[in-house]
Amino acid sequence: MAAGSVGPCGFLALLLLGEMITGAVGTTGFIKSPLSQKRLTQDSVELHCEAIGNPIPEIQWWFEGNDPNETYAQLWDGARQDRVKINATYNLHSTSTVYIANLTGDDSGMYECRASNDPDRNHLSKSPKVKWIRSQANLFVIERPDIKTQVATVAGKLVLTCNMSGHSSGIEGHEWVLGDKSLATDKESGTSTSYTIEGKMEEHSGVYECVYKTTPEVKGQVNISVPPQVTAYKKSEHGNEGDTGVLTCKSSSFPPVVTWVWSKNGQEPLVNGSGRYIIKSSGNKTELRILKLSIEEDTGDYHCNGTNAYGTGGAAVNLRVRSRLAALWPFLGIVAEVLVLVTIIFIYEKRRKPDEVLDDDDGGSAPLKSNATNHKDKNVRQRNAN
């Protein structure tokens, strides 16, 4: 397309905008139409539609199933047991999105976006002067294939396996994913795929996905579940007397920790909100706050224990409480060193000063003696001359 040229949709939008500016009423057109899509059962889908006109047109969604005897029926927000959500905005133009969750085979069919700005468009007895314009999209909902997963230990390595049945054609490759990170890819067309992990299971827990490159993509999940692997943010914490102490533990293992418990020196568990203790826990992180630290009462070892469906793990944090004056000792030490240094310099200067005065007196007497001698010699010469 040459530079500066306008596509069909852009040309239509410009034409309609021009008509709106010149005052033409009743003109309506689509600037974005819904697209046909393929989805798996239990997935979700979004269909989007935008229209422009003067005045701003209304958008409706209609549906016709694959049953030959089924006719178009209007879709409403909250339909199909609240699986259908419709969001619309009417600003400079009309936009509408229909969202369908937890798809089933009955959701397959023709979805129609209708737009009109005729004042009589919804009148029960009058026929609208301007008919509804329509844009259609097909939704194909395919039965989700069955994927069997397995975790095995072979020669000290973890081997994750996915085996898909019921959808053996159209596979163009596989991909293994952990969170947002792609671990491995291939272009094989088999229904079975595997991924090998070197290391202990406790070090590699999480939710792994095996992705089959089909249309649409098919995904399976392989869970490596272990008891919580709890670590302390710092094994040793320091706090000043009267301040607030903060101790933190975390666990990066899967599944997440369900219950966190704090205790001190192996005693009864600490209760959140009791005394000076505040405990905040969220998922795989917990935090113990101790208000107004005391040297006698709060110094010691604190234990954090996390529990999930597979067991319990814990860690220890040693808390040391210092006196408020402890922070002043380094400063006082520097001040003492400066005072000692100044005293030494003062004593040294005091002792050296008398010697310097004596040297100055001696130096001043020498020239006087020399001058007297010179005058004596001068007088002797003068007598000889006479």
Side-chain angles (χ1 to χ4, degrees):
M1 187 177 292
S5 61
V6 180
C9 292
F11 179 77
L12 177 60
L14 291 174
L15 178 62
L16 291 171
L17 283 171
E19 291 178 348
M20 290 173 64
I21 294 172
T22 56
V25 178
T27 304
T28 302
F30 289 111
I31 56 176
K32 185 171 288 187
S33 299
L35 301 176
S36 297
Q37 301 182 47
K38 289 183 180 181
R39 288 290 186 270
L40 298 173
T41 54
Q42 303 174 18
D43 282 349
S44 61
V45 69
E46 280 189 359
L47 300 173
H48 189 70
C49 184
E50 296 185 23
I52 194 169
N54 180 26
I56 297 175
E58 176 192 359
I59 293 179
Q60 295 180 357
W61 288 95
W62 292 69
F63 170 75
E64 183 183 41
N66 293 327
D67 191 335
N69 298 323
E70 192 171 354
T71 59
Y72 274 103
Q74 187 173 356
L75 279 176
W76 303 95
D77 186 57
R80 300 178 187 174
Q81 298 180 344
D82 207 31
R83 292 189 298 111
V84 175
K85 300 292 181 183
I86 298 178
N87 296 317
T89 59
Y90 299 95
N91 194 359
L92 296 177
H93 65 283
S94 306
T95 65
S96 183
T97 301
V98 58
Y99 172 83
I100 308 173
N102 196 20
L103 292 170
T104 67
D106 294 335
D107 294 321
S108 294
M110 181 74 72
Y111 289 80
E112 189 173 86
C113 174
R114 298 182 181 181
S116 176
N117 59 2
D118 192 294
D120 298 326
R121 60 185 178 274
N122 293 319
H123 202 282
L124 297 178
S125 59
K126 294 182 180 180
S127 298
K129 298 176 183 179
V130 180
K131 293 183 178 180
W132 291 81
I133 61 172
R134 307 179 180 187
S135 182
Q136 298 174 335
N138 278 307
L139 175 63
F140 303 94
V141 181
I142 305 171
E143 189 68 26
R144 179 177 293 275
D146 182 39
I147 298 179
K148 294 182 179 180
T149 62
Q150 182 182 7
V151 180
T153 303
V154 180
K157 300 179 181 180
L158 295 175
V159 180
L160 315 184
T161 304
C162 287
N163 210 330
M164 182 173 67
S165 59
H167 191 87
S168 58
S169 61
I171 301 176
E172 299 179 355
H174 313 88
E175 182 180 14
W176 283 89
V177 178
L178 176 61
D180 297 332
K181 182 180 180 181
S182 178
L183 303 175
T185 58
D186 63 54
K187 295 184 179 181
E188 298 178 3
S189 59
T191 57
S192 179
T193 178
S194 61
Y195 177 70
T196 302
I197 303 174
E198 296 186 3
K200 298 180 180 179
M201 182 178 294
E202 290 77 12
E203 299 172 352
H204 299 281
S205 64
V207 179
Y208 293 78
E209 284 188 331
C210 54
V211 182
Y212 288 83
K213 299 296 183 178
T214 57
T215 305
E217 287 187 343
V218 180
K219 298 180 181 180
Q221 286 188 351
V222 183
N223 296 339
I224 299 181
S225 304
V226 298
Q229 308 300 300
V230 179
T231 58
Y233 183 72
K234 289 183 180 179
K235 294 183 178 180
S236 180
E237 289 281 1
H238 298 80
N240 294 325
E241 188 177 20
D243 290 346
T244 298
V246 181
L247 311 181
T248 305
C249 289
K250 59 183 179 179
S251 170
S252 58
S253 54
F254 177 84
V257 174
V258 177
T259 305
W260 285 102
V261 176
W262 283 90
S263 62
K264 178 187 176 184
N265 297 330
Q267 300 175 1
E268 292 295 323
L270 302 177
V271 179
N272 184 26
S274 64
R276 296 175 289 109
Y277 300 116
I278 298 176
I279 300 174
K280 294 183 179 180
S281 302
S282 58
N284 281 341
K285 182 179 179 181
T286 182
E287 182 181 272
L288 171 64
R289 288 179 175 267
I290 307 173
L291 307 178
K292 297 181 180 179
L293 289 173
S294 170
I295 297 177
E296 295 79 11
E297 298 179 14
D298 299 323
T299 301
D301 293 326
Y302 291 80
H303 298 268
C304 54
N305 292 288
T307 303
N308 63 14
Y310 292 84
T312 301
V317 184
N318 179 260
L319 175 62
R320 298 178 182 178
V321 183
R322 300 172 296 192
S323 171
R324 277 192 171 276
L325 298 177
L328 296 176
W329 292 123
F331 174 74
L332 294 177
I334 294 174
V335 172
E337 290 180 0
V338 172
L339 290 176
V340 171
L341 183 60
V342 170
T343 303
I344 293 173
I345 294 173
F346 177 77
I347 295 173
Y348 175 76
E349 292 293 335
K350 192 72 175 176
R351 290 183 176 180
R352 193 167 65 90
K353 192 170 182 180
D355 296 338
E356 292 178 350
V357 173
L358 181 60
D359 292 342
D360 293 341
D361 293 342
D362 294 343
S365 61
L368 292 175
K369 185 176 181 180
S370 175
N371 290 336
T373 305
N374 291 337
H375 287 297
K376 183 179 179 180
D377 293 341
K378 185 176 180 181
N379 293 332
V380 172
R381 290 195 209 95
Q382 288 176 353
R383 289 193 190 102
N384 294 334
N386 292 330

